[in-house]
Amino acid sequence: MPSDLLDRNRLALLQRIMLGHSRAIPFENIDIVLGRTISIEPKDIQEKLVHRGRGGYCMETNMLLGMALKALGYAVVPMLARVRWAQPDDEIQPYTHLLLRVSWGSLQPAEAGATAEGSSRKVIADVGFASTNSVQPISCMWGAQQLVDGSFRIVPATEVRAAMRRAPMSAEHLVLQRQLRSTWHDLYVFHNAPAPVADLEQVNWWCCTHPKARFTRQLFVYRLIGHTKHHILNGVHVIRHPDGSVTRHHLTSKESLAHLLRDSFGLTPPAPAPGGPGIDRFLSAHTGGDWATPGLEAGVDVCGMPHVWVAQAEQSAGEPGAGEEAAAAAADVPIPARGPEVRGAETAGAAKCPTRIASRGVAQVWGETSGRGSGR
């Protein structure tokens, strides 16, 4: 098969997998809200997200995606990021986000002295940043990229450091940005190097247990249903429609939250531990327009993105649904089925892939054979 055709096929497959994943597997932190710690062992992730039909946060959803892509022949590198979105410019955030660098094949015959990785197509694949990031892979090449859900680009951290008053960072640090209202905004700054397993475990532990971690203080749930984006932030259900309109519903009881999770998100929360916190512990975080958590406002969605910015960005890029259909048609990729049945129909292939490696530990999944590595 010609290399350019192989490249297009691999890219189209990755696009389809990411879109199907976003529709089938919710982004959620329900276990953390219930006071449970999160395991990132492959067998535990597979059991929870595939067999029990649950969702997860970035350490789980991107781990599952990475396992599936590796089993399908992609080269996958886990990397860690400091979230910059909706954060003060002069504050350094800890590493709290996992993303994947994915590569495959050779775009053209490698020149003399070039490495195999140097002649590969490299993209960022991230299904663990809720709706703020793209449902499509983002090329690691410089320059703005118009995707189905907006314009994105990757730039060296040194190019924006002065304006953003960041601490010094090396050339190994890159920034993922999204354009909203003609202005580029940082989503996160990531270390463009493989994250050692020791770091992955440390970040996961901090995110699901530390009292200052965002996921221990709020309830987050997100799922892409068809072309409509559904969010739950504490006691508010936000729906972003393909035409840019936004509707909100306030949840007033544990029963209404449980029904919404089951009917719209396909989730059945586990029972809380005796005497432990319940799934409704954050329902009262929003009353009468007052937000209990500093920095969050009524016009901000589950990832901190102002709804008006999102609507304008989506309108400037054309109707999201139409753009997604057009992109899929151009790549000859069928749009996945909609609704809860997606989990079985669209992710069947991906679900089988981690099964082969679920008995292995995290280090073996990511090919780390020289010990646990050292923290940064």
Side-chain angles (χ1 to χ4, degrees), residues 146-182:
Q146 183 63 49
L147 303 177
V148 296
D149 34 18
S151 294
F152 297 82
R153 71 179 183 182
I154 296 174
V155 298
T158 52
E159 288 189 7
V160 293
R161 184 183 64 203
M164 302 303 292
R165 304 194 303 276
R166 292 195 184 90
M169 293 182 177
S170 70
E172 291 182 340
H173 289 87
L174 303 175
V175 182
L176 175 62
Q177 298 180 325
R178 178 171 183 168
Q179 189 178 38
L180 298 168
R181 304 177 70 181
S182 303

PDB file of all heavy atoms in Angstrom, residues 146-182:
ATOM      1  N   GLN A 146      -7.471  23.942  11.627  1.00  0.00           N
ATOM      2  CA  GLN A 146      -8.919  24.061  11.749  1.00  0.00           C
ATOM      3  C   GLN A 146      -9.520  22.662  11.812  1.00  0.00           C
ATOM      4  O   GLN A 146      -9.493  21.929  10.829  1.00  0.00           O
ATOM      5  CB  GLN A 146      -9.508  24.829  10.559  1.00  0.00           C
ATOM      6  CG  GLN A 146     -11.003  25.051  10.653  1.00  0.00           C
ATOM      7  CD  GLN A 146     -11.398  25.903  11.851  1.00  0.00           C
ATOM      8  OE1 GLN A 146     -10.814  26.960  12.075  1.00  0.00           O
ATOM      9  NE2 GLN A 146     -12.361  25.439  12.631  1.00  0.00           N
ATOM     10  N   LEU A 147     -10.029  22.299  12.972  1.00  0.00           N
ATOM     11  CA  LEU A 147     -10.650  21.000  13.178  1.00  0.00           C
ATOM     12  C   LEU A 147     -12.153  21.171  13.305  1.00  0.00           C
ATOM     13  O   LEU A 147     -12.670  22.287  13.231  1.00  0.00           O
ATOM     14  CB  LEU A 147     -10.057  20.325  14.421  1.00  0.00           C
ATOM     15  CG  LEU A 147      -8.535  20.146  14.398  1.00  0.00           C
ATOM     16  CD1 LEU A 147      -8.046  19.547  15.706  1.00  0.00           C
ATOM     17  CD2 LEU A 147      -8.096  19.308  13.216  1.00  0.00           C
ATOM     18  N   VAL A 148     -12.873  20.080  13.481  1.00  0.00           N
ATOM     19  CA  VAL A 148     -14.332  20.161  13.475  1.00  0.00           C
ATOM     20  C   VAL A 148     -14.881  20.975  14.638  1.00  0.00           C
ATOM     21  O   VAL A 148     -15.996  21.488  14.565  1.00  0.00           O
ATOM     22  CB  VAL A 148     -14.962  18.753  13.494  1.00  0.00           C
ATOM     23  CG1 VAL A 148     -14.614  17.994  12.242  1.00  0.00           C
ATOM     24  CG2 VAL A 148     -14.578  17.989  14.752  1.00  0.00           C
ATOM     25  N   ASP A 149     -14.091  21.119  15.707  1.00  0.00           N
ATOM     26  CA  ASP A 149     -14.590  21.849  16.866  1.00  0.00           C
ATOM     27  C   ASP A 149     -13.768  23.083  17.184  1.00  0.00           C
ATOM     28  O   ASP A 149     -13.707  23.536  18.314  1.00  0.00           O
ATOM     29  CB  ASP A 149     -14.668  20.938  18.089  1.00  0.00           C
ATOM     30  CG  ASP A 149     -13.560  19.907  18.127  1.00  0.00           C
ATOM     31  OD1 ASP A 149     -12.554  20.091  17.415  1.00  0.00           O
ATOM     32  OD2 ASP A 149     -13.697  18.922  18.856  1.00  0.00           O
ATOM     33  N   GLY A 150     -13.112  23.662  16.165  1.00  0.00           N
ATOM     34  CA  GLY A 150     -12.397  24.907  16.365  1.00  0.00           C
ATOM     35  C   GLY A 150     -10.974  24.874  15.854  1.00  0.00           C
ATOM     36  O   GLY A 150     -10.524  23.906  15.235  1.00  0.00           O
ATOM     37  N   SER A 151     -10.241  25.976  16.113  1.00  0.00           N
ATOM     38  CA  SER A 151      -8.848  26.105  15.682  1.00  0.00           C
ATOM     39  C   SER A 151      -7.922  25.825  16.854  1.00  0.00           C
ATOM     40  O   SER A 151      -8.114  26.373  17.952  1.00  0.00           O
ATOM     41  CB  SER A 151      -8.592  27.518  15.136  1.00  0.00           C
ATOM     42  OG  SER A 151      -9.320  27.742  13.953  1.00  0.00           O
ATOM     43  N   PHE A 152      -6.906  25.010  16.590  1.00  0.00           N
ATOM     44  CA  PHE A 152      -5.939  24.633  17.608  1.00  0.00           C
ATOM     45  C   PHE A 152      -4.531  24.792  17.043  1.00  0.00           C
ATOM     46  O   PHE A 152      -4.331  24.778  15.825  1.00  0.00           O
ATOM     47  CB  PHE A 152      -6.154  23.177  18.049  1.00  0.00           C
ATOM     48  CG  PHE A 152      -7.482  22.915  18.700  1.00  0.00           C
ATOM     49  CD1 PHE A 152      -8.625  22.694  17.939  1.00  0.00           C
ATOM     50  CD2 PHE A 152      -7.596  22.892  20.080  1.00  0.00           C
ATOM     51  CE1 PHE A 152      -9.851  22.462  18.536  1.00  0.00           C
ATOM     52  CE2 PHE A 152      -8.820  22.651  20.686  1.00  0.00           C
ATOM     53  CZ  PHE A 152      -9.943  22.439  19.916  1.00  0.00           C
ATOM     54  N   ARG A 153      -3.562  24.925  17.930  1.00  0.00           N
ATOM     55  CA  ARG A 153      -2.167  24.938  17.509  1.00  0.00           C
ATOM     56  C   ARG A 153      -1.286  24.535  18.676  1.00  0.00           C
ATOM     57  O   ARG A 153      -1.689  24.621  19.847  1.00  0.00           O
ATOM     58  CB  ARG A 153      -1.751  26.311  16.983  1.00  0.00           C
ATOM     59  CG  ARG A 153      -1.632  27.387  18.055  1.00  0.00           C
ATOM     60  CD  ARG A 153      -1.189  28.718  17.460  1.00  0.00           C
ATOM     61  NE  ARG A 153      -1.007  29.730  18.498  1.00  0.00           N
ATOM     62  CZ  ARG A 153      -0.666  30.998  18.267  1.00  0.00           C
ATOM     63  NH1 ARG A 153      -0.492  31.400  17.005  1.00  0.00           N
ATOM     64  NH2 ARG A 153      -0.500  31.845  19.268  1.00  0.00           N
ATOM     65  N   ILE A 154      -0.089  24.075  18.354  1.00  0.00           N
ATOM     66  CA  ILE A 154       0.930  23.739  19.349  1.00  0.00           C
ATOM     67  C   ILE A 154       2.121  24.647  19.126  1.00  0.00           C
ATOM     68  O   ILE A 154       2.617  24.760  17.993  1.00  0.00           O
ATOM     69  CB  ILE A 154       1.338  22.256  19.241  1.00  0.00           C
ATOM     70  CG1 ILE A 154       0.139  21.356  19.574  1.00  0.00           C
ATOM     71  CG2 ILE A 154       2.506  21.940  20.182  1.00  0.00           C
ATOM     72  CD1 ILE A 154       0.412  19.870  19.352  1.00  0.00           C
ATOM     73  N   VAL A 155       2.583  25.318  20.170  1.00  0.00           N
ATOM     74  CA  VAL A 155       3.705  26.242  20.070  1.00  0.00           C
ATOM     75  C   VAL A 155       4.694  25.938  21.184  1.00  0.00           C
ATOM     76  O   VAL A 155       4.324  25.400  22.230  1.00  0.00           O
ATOM     77  CB  VAL A 155       3.238  27.714  20.157  1.00  0.00           C
ATOM     78  CG1 VAL A 155       2.307  28.059  18.999  1.00  0.00           C
ATOM     79  CG2 VAL A 155       2.565  27.992  21.487  1.00  0.00           C
ATOM     80  N   PRO A 156       5.987  26.289  20.980  1.00  0.00           N
ATOM     81  CA  PRO A 156       6.958  26.112  22.070  1.00  0.00           C
ATOM     82  C   PRO A 156       6.593  27.002  23.252  1.00  0.00           C
ATOM     83  O   PRO A 156       6.123  28.132  23.080  1.00  0.00           O
ATOM     84  CB  PRO A 156       8.288  26.542  21.431  1.00  0.00           C
ATOM     85  CG  PRO A 156       8.064  26.451  19.953  1.00  0.00           C
ATOM     86  CD  PRO A 156       6.622  26.775  19.742  1.00  0.00           C
ATOM     87  N   ALA A 157       6.794  26.514  24.446  1.00  0.00           N
ATOM     88  CA  ALA A 157       6.461  27.296  25.636  1.00  0.00           C
ATOM     89  C   ALA A 157       7.243  28.596  25.686  1.00  0.00           C
ATOM     90  O   ALA A 157       6.755  29.593  26.224  1.00  0.00           O
ATOM     91  CB  ALA A 157       6.731  26.466  26.891  1.00  0.00           C
ATOM     92  N   THR A 158       8.450  28.608  25.118  1.00  0.00           N
ATOM     93  CA  THR A 158       9.273  29.818  25.168  1.00  0.00           C
ATOM     94  C   THR A 158       8.662  30.964  24.376  1.00  0.00           C
ATOM     95  O   THR A 158       8.920  32.128  24.650  1.00  0.00           O
ATOM     96  CB  THR A 158      10.675  29.520  24.613  1.00  0.00           C
ATOM     97  OG1 THR A 158      10.540  28.905  23.312  1.00  0.00           O
ATOM     98  CG2 THR A 158      11.424  28.580  25.535  1.00  0.00           C
ATOM     99  N   GLU A 159       7.807  30.678  23.384  1.00  0.00           N
ATOM    100  CA  GLU A 159       7.212  31.735  22.572  1.00  0.00           C
ATOM    101  C   GLU A 159       6.169  32.535  23.335  1.00  0.00           C
ATOM    102  O   GLU A 159       5.891  33.682  23.012  1.00  0.00           O
ATOM    103  CB  GLU A 159       6.568  31.141  21.309  1.00  0.00           C
ATOM    104  CG  GLU A 159       7.572  30.660  20.292  1.00  0.00           C
ATOM    105  CD  GLU A 159       6.904  30.282  18.984  1.00  0.00           C
ATOM    106  OE1 GLU A 159       5.685  30.530  18.839  1.00  0.00           O
ATOM    107  OE2 GLU A 159       7.592  29.747  18.107  1.00  0.00           O
ATOM    108  N   VAL A 160       5.565  31.965  24.343  1.00  0.00           N
ATOM    109  CA  VAL A 160       4.505  32.649  25.071  1.00  0.00           C
ATOM    110  C   VAL A 160       4.876  32.900  26.525  1.00  0.00           C
ATOM    111  O   VAL A 160       4.095  33.476  27.275  1.00  0.00           O
ATOM    112  CB  VAL A 160       3.192  31.837  25.020  1.00  0.00           C
ATOM    113  CG1 VAL A 160       2.652  31.795  23.621  1.00  0.00           C
ATOM    114  CG2 VAL A 160       3.406  30.435  25.552  1.00  0.00           C
ATOM    115  N   ARG A 161       6.080  32.512  26.903  1.00  0.00           N
ATOM    116  CA  ARG A 161       6.461  32.598  28.304  1.00  0.00           C
ATOM    117  C   ARG A 161       6.452  34.037  28.815  1.00  0.00           C
ATOM    118  O   ARG A 161       5.929  34.336  29.881  1.00  0.00           O
ATOM    119  CB  ARG A 161       7.847  31.989  28.515  1.00  0.00           C
ATOM    120  CG  ARG A 161       8.287  31.952  29.979  1.00  0.00           C
ATOM    121  CD  ARG A 161       9.691  31.402  30.093  1.00  0.00           C
ATOM    122  NE  ARG A 161      10.632  32.276  29.435  1.00  0.00           N
ATOM    123  CZ  ARG A 161      11.811  31.884  28.979  1.00  0.00           C
ATOM    124  NH1 ARG A 161      12.167  30.621  29.083  1.00  0.00           N
ATOM    125  NH2 ARG A 161      12.631  32.734  28.401  1.00  0.00           N
ATOM    126  N   ALA A 162       7.017  34.967  28.041  1.00  0.00           N
ATOM    127  CA  ALA A 162       7.129  36.347  28.496  1.00  0.00           C
ATOM    128  C   ALA A 162       5.752  36.969  28.704  1.00  0.00           C
ATOM    129  O   ALA A 162       5.487  37.624  29.722  1.00  0.00           O
ATOM    130  CB  ALA A 162       7.934  37.150  27.488  1.00  0.00           C
ATOM    131  N   ALA A 163       4.871  36.764  27.750  1.00  0.00           N
ATOM    132  CA  ALA A 163       3.542  37.363  27.853  1.00  0.00           C
ATOM    133  C   ALA A 163       2.742  36.769  28.999  1.00  0.00           C
ATOM    134  O   ALA A 163       1.940  37.447  29.638  1.00  0.00           O
ATOM    135  CB  ALA A 163       2.788  37.187  26.540  1.00  0.00           C
ATOM    136  N   MET A 164       2.951  35.491  29.271  1.00  0.00           N
ATOM    137  CA  MET A 164       2.164  34.815  30.293  1.00  0.00           C
ATOM    138  C   MET A 164       2.854  34.774  31.654  1.00  0.00           C
ATOM    139  O   MET A 164       2.337  34.206  32.605  1.00  0.00           O
ATOM    140  CB  MET A 164       1.852  33.383  29.839  1.00  0.00           C
ATOM    141  CG  MET A 164       1.116  33.308  28.517  1.00  0.00           C
ATOM    142  SD  MET A 164      -0.432  34.222  28.528  1.00  0.00           S
ATOM    143  CE  MET A 164      -1.381  33.228  29.659  1.00  0.00           C
ATOM    144  N   ARG A 165       4.075  35.323  31.748  1.00  0.00           N
ATOM    145  CA  ARG A 165       4.808  35.397  33.007  1.00  0.00           C
ATOM    146  C   ARG A 165       4.986  34.023  33.642  1.00  0.00           C
ATOM    147  O   ARG A 165       4.778  33.807  34.836  1.00  0.00           O
ATOM    148  CB  ARG A 165       4.104  36.338  33.990  1.00  0.00           C
ATOM    149  CG  ARG A 165       3.879  37.732  33.439  1.00  0.00           C
ATOM    150  CD  ARG A 165       3.491  38.711  34.542  1.00  0.00           C
ATOM    151  NE  ARG A 165       2.308  38.287  35.250  1.00  0.00           N
ATOM    152  CZ  ARG A 165       1.062  38.527  34.829  1.00  0.00           C
ATOM    153  NH1 ARG A 165       0.874  39.163  33.684  1.00  0.00           N
ATOM    154  NH2 ARG A 165       0.026  38.137  35.546  1.00  0.00           N
ATOM    155  N   ARG A 166       5.361  33.079  32.842  1.00  0.00           N
ATOM    156  CA  ARG A 166       5.561  31.728  33.371  1.00  0.00           C
ATOM    157  C   ARG A 166       6.983  31.565  33.912  1.00  0.00           C
ATOM    158  O   ARG A 166       7.897  32.304  33.568  1.00  0.00           O
ATOM    159  CB  ARG A 166       5.333  30.676  32.282  1.00  0.00           C
ATOM    160  CG  ARG A 166       3.904  30.592  31.837  1.00  0.00           C
ATOM    161  CD  ARG A 166       3.715  29.307  31.058  1.00  0.00           C
ATOM    162  NE  ARG A 166       2.362  29.249  30.540  1.00  0.00           N
ATOM    163  CZ  ARG A 166       2.013  29.720  29.359  1.00  0.00           C
ATOM    164  NH1 ARG A 166       2.898  30.263  28.576  1.00  0.00           N
ATOM    165  NH2 ARG A 166       0.764  29.646  28.964  1.00  0.00           N
ATOM    166  N   ALA A 167       7.148  30.540  34.696  1.00  0.00           N
ATOM    167  CA  ALA A 167       8.488  30.163  35.126  1.00  0.00           C
ATOM    168  C   ALA A 167       9.253  29.641  33.914  1.00  0.00           C
ATOM    169  O   ALA A 167       8.664  29.156  32.954  1.00  0.00           O
ATOM    170  CB  ALA A 167       8.409  29.090  36.208  1.00  0.00           C
ATOM    171  N   PRO A 168      10.585  29.741  33.922  1.00  0.00           N
ATOM    172  CA  PRO A 168      11.363  29.270  32.761  1.00  0.00           C
ATOM    173  C   PRO A 168      11.081  27.806  32.456  1.00  0.00           C
ATOM    174  O   PRO A 168      10.984  26.974  33.349  1.00  0.00           O
ATOM    175  CB  PRO A 168      12.808  29.478  33.221  1.00  0.00           C
ATOM    176  CG  PRO A 168      12.732  30.539  34.263  1.00  0.00           C
ATOM    177  CD  PRO A 168      11.430  30.323  34.970  1.00  0.00           C
ATOM    178  N   MET A 169      10.953  27.521  31.189  1.00  0.00           N
ATOM    179  CA  MET A 169      10.731  26.151  30.746  1.00  0.00           C
ATOM    180  C   MET A 169      11.656  25.859  29.580  1.00  0.00           C
ATOM    181  O   MET A 169      12.014  26.750  28.813  1.00  0.00           O
ATOM    182  CB  MET A 169       9.274  25.936  30.330  1.00  0.00           C
ATOM    183  CG  MET A 169       8.295  26.029  31.484  1.00  0.00           C
ATOM    184  SD  MET A 169       6.602  25.728  30.969  1.00  0.00           S
ATOM    185  CE  MET A 169       5.766  25.821  32.552  1.00  0.00           C
ATOM    186  N   SER A 170      12.011  24.611  29.442  1.00  0.00           N
ATOM    187  CA  SER A 170      12.931  24.233  28.379  1.00  0.00           C
ATOM    188  C   SER A 170      12.186  24.090  27.070  1.00  0.00           C
ATOM    189  O   SER A 170      10.956  24.146  26.996  1.00  0.00           O
ATOM    190  CB  SER A 170      13.611  22.909  28.732  1.00  0.00           C
ATOM    191  OG  SER A 170      12.664  21.855  28.648  1.00  0.00           O
ATOM    192  N   ALA A 171      12.960  23.875  25.984  1.00  0.00           N
ATOM    193  CA  ALA A 171      12.358  23.684  24.668  1.00  0.00           C
ATOM    194  C   ALA A 171      11.554  22.391  24.599  1.00  0.00           C
ATOM    195  O   ALA A 171      10.809  22.177  23.654  1.00  0.00           O
ATOM    196  CB  ALA A 171      13.451  23.677  23.595  1.00  0.00           C
ATOM    197  N   GLU A 172      11.719  21.542  25.590  1.00  0.00           N
ATOM    198  CA  GLU A 172      10.950  20.310  25.621  1.00  0.00           C
ATOM    199  C   GLU A 172       9.505  20.533  26.045  1.00  0.00           C
ATOM    200  O   GLU A 172       8.700  19.625  25.987  1.00  0.00           O
ATOM    201  CB  GLU A 172      11.598  19.302  26.585  1.00  0.00           C
ATOM    202  CG  GLU A 172      12.930  18.762  26.117  1.00  0.00           C
ATOM    203  CD  GLU A 172      13.489  17.746  27.089  1.00  0.00           C
ATOM    204  OE1 GLU A 172      13.047  17.750  28.260  1.00  0.00           O
ATOM    205  OE2 GLU A 172      14.341  16.951  26.694  1.00  0.00           O
ATOM    206  N   HIS A 173       9.194  21.741  26.448  1.00  0.00           N
ATOM    207  CA  HIS A 173       7.836  22.049  26.867  1.00  0.00           C
ATOM    208  C   HIS A 173       7.090  22.752  25.741  1.00  0.00           C
ATOM    209  O   HIS A 173       7.569  23.728  25.172  1.00  0.00           O
ATOM    210  CB  HIS A 173       7.830  22.916  28.130  1.00  0.00           C
ATOM    211  CG  HIS A 173       8.254  22.179  29.355  1.00  0.00           C
ATOM    212  ND1 HIS A 173       9.574  22.064  29.730  1.00  0.00           N
ATOM    213  CD2 HIS A 173       7.532  21.495  30.278  1.00  0.00           C
ATOM    214  CE1 HIS A 173       9.643  21.347  30.850  1.00  0.00           C
ATOM    215  NE2 HIS A 173       8.419  20.989  31.197  1.00  0.00           N
ATOM    216  N   LEU A 174       5.897  22.253  25.444  1.00  0.00           N
ATOM    217  CA  LEU A 174       5.069  22.800  24.381  1.00  0.00           C
ATOM    218  C   LEU A 174       3.712  23.187  24.955  1.00  0.00           C
ATOM    219  O   LEU A 174       3.294  22.669  25.992  1.00  0.00           O
ATOM    220  CB  LEU A 174       4.879  21.768  23.260  1.00  0.00           C
ATOM    221  CG  LEU A 174       6.153  21.230  22.615  1.00  0.00           C
ATOM    222  CD1 LEU A 174       5.819  20.128  21.610  1.00  0.00           C
ATOM    223  CD2 LEU A 174       6.931  22.351  21.934  1.00  0.00           C
ATOM    224  N   VAL A 175       3.041  24.095  24.278  1.00  0.00           N
ATOM    225  CA  VAL A 175       1.755  24.590  24.734  1.00  0.00           C
ATOM    226  C   VAL A 175       0.690  24.269  23.691  1.00  0.00           C
ATOM    227  O   VAL A 175       0.863  24.567  22.502  1.00  0.00           O
ATOM    228  CB  VAL A 175       1.790  26.116  24.972  1.00  0.00           C
ATOM    229  CG1 VAL A 175       0.435  26.599  25.505  1.00  0.00           C
ATOM    230  CG2 VAL A 175       2.887  26.487  25.947  1.00  0.00           C
ATOM    231  N   LEU A 176      -0.395  23.656  24.128  1.00  0.00           N
ATOM    232  CA  LEU A 176      -1.558  23.452  23.271  1.00  0.00           C
ATOM    233  C   LEU A 176      -2.510  24.623  23.480  1.00  0.00           C
ATOM    234  O   LEU A 176      -2.884  24.930  24.617  1.00  0.00           O
ATOM    235  CB  LEU A 176      -2.270  22.141  23.600  1.00  0.00           C
ATOM    236  CG  LEU A 176      -3.578  21.883  22.828  1.00  0.00           C
ATOM    237  CD1 LEU A 176      -3.320  21.788  21.330  1.00  0.00           C
ATOM    238  CD2 LEU A 176      -4.271  20.627  23.333  1.00  0.00           C
ATOM    239  N   GLN A 177      -2.878  25.283  22.378  1.00  0.00           N
ATOM    240  CA  GLN A 177      -3.736  26.456  22.447  1.00  0.00           C
ATOM    241  C   GLN A 177      -4.983  26.268  21.589  1.00  0.00           C
ATOM    242  O   GLN A 177      -4.960  25.537  20.599  1.00  0.00           O
ATOM    243  CB  GLN A 177      -2.998  27.711  21.980  1.00  0.00           C
ATOM    244  CG  GLN A 177      -1.790  28.067  22.828  1.00  0.00           C
ATOM    245  CD  GLN A 177      -1.092  29.320  22.319  1.00  0.00           C
ATOM    246  OE1 GLN A 177      -1.037  29.576  21.114  1.00  0.00           O
ATOM    247  NE2 GLN A 177      -0.561  30.119  23.238  1.00  0.00           N
ATOM    248  N   ARG A 178      -6.033  26.979  21.989  1.00  0.00           N
ATOM    249  CA  ARG A 178      -7.269  27.002  21.218  1.00  0.00           C
ATOM    250  C   ARG A 178      -7.637  28.455  20.945  1.00  0.00           C
ATOM    251  O   ARG A 178      -7.526  29.312  21.823  1.00  0.00           O
ATOM    252  CB  ARG A 178      -8.396  26.313  21.979  1.00  0.00           C
ATOM    253  CG  ARG A 178      -9.731  26.356  21.250  1.00  0.00           C
ATOM    254  CD  ARG A 178     -10.781  25.489  21.913  1.00  0.00           C
ATOM    255  NE  ARG A 178     -12.022  25.496  21.146  1.00  0.00           N
ATOM    256  CZ  ARG A 178     -13.036  24.670  21.336  1.00  0.00           C
ATOM    257  NH1 ARG A 178     -12.941  23.745  22.278  1.00  0.00           N
ATOM    258  NH2 ARG A 178     -14.122  24.736  20.607  1.00  0.00           N
ATOM    259  N   GLN A 179      -8.082  28.723  19.727  1.00  0.00           N
ATOM    260  CA  GLN A 179      -8.445  30.085  19.353  1.00  0.00           C
ATOM    261  C   GLN A 179      -9.927  30.336  19.629  1.00  0.00           C
ATOM    262  O   GLN A 179     -10.800  29.601  19.168  1.00  0.00           O
ATOM    263  CB  GLN A 179      -8.160  30.343  17.878  1.00  0.00           C
ATOM    264  CG  GLN A 179      -8.315  31.804  17.477  1.00  0.00           C
ATOM    265  CD  GLN A 179      -7.974  32.032  16.013  1.00  0.00           C
ATOM    266  OE1 GLN A 179      -8.288  31.204  15.164  1.00  0.00           O
ATOM    267  NE2 GLN A 179      -7.307  33.135  15.723  1.00  0.00           N
ATOM    268  N   LEU A 180     -10.188  31.382  20.399  1.00  0.00           N
ATOM    269  CA  LEU A 180     -11.552  31.787  20.713  1.00  0.00           C
ATOM    270  C   LEU A 180     -11.641  33.294  20.569  1.00  0.00           C
ATOM    271  O   LEU A 180     -10.831  34.031  21.143  1.00  0.00           O
ATOM    272  CB  LEU A 180     -11.930  31.372  22.132  1.00  0.00           C
ATOM    273  CG  LEU A 180     -11.928  29.866  22.414  1.00  0.00           C
ATOM    274  CD1 LEU A 180     -12.021  29.607  23.907  1.00  0.00           C
ATOM    275  CD2 LEU A 180     -13.082  29.191  21.692  1.00  0.00           C
ATOM    276  N   ARG A 181     -12.610  33.750  19.783  1.00  0.00           N
ATOM    277  CA  ARG A 181     -12.803  35.187  19.570  1.00  0.00           C
ATOM    278  C   ARG A 181     -11.513  35.847  19.106  1.00  0.00           C
ATOM    279  O   ARG A 181     -11.096  36.895  19.604  1.00  0.00           O
ATOM    280  CB  ARG A 181     -13.326  35.848  20.843  1.00  0.00           C
ATOM    281  CG  ARG A 181     -14.613  35.216  21.361  1.00  0.00           C
ATOM    282  CD  ARG A 181     -15.084  35.837  22.663  1.00  0.00           C
ATOM    283  NE  ARG A 181     -15.576  37.182  22.485  1.00  0.00           N
ATOM    284  CZ  ARG A 181     -16.037  37.948  23.473  1.00  0.00           C
ATOM    285  NH1 ARG A 181     -16.054  37.464  24.716  1.00  0.00           N
ATOM    286  NH2 ARG A 181     -16.476  39.154  23.240  1.00  0.00           N
ATOM    287  N   SER A 182     -10.845  35.207  18.149  1.00  0.00           N
ATOM    288  CA  SER A 182      -9.625  35.738  17.500  1.00  0.00           C
ATOM    289  C   SER A 182      -8.424  35.799  18.428  1.00  0.00           C
ATOM    290  O   SER A 182      -7.398  36.373  18.069  1.00  0.00           O
ATOM    291  CB  SER A 182      -9.884  37.139  16.913  1.00  0.00           C
ATOM    292  OG  SER A 182     -10.957  37.105  15.982  1.00  0.00           O
TER     293      SER A 182
END
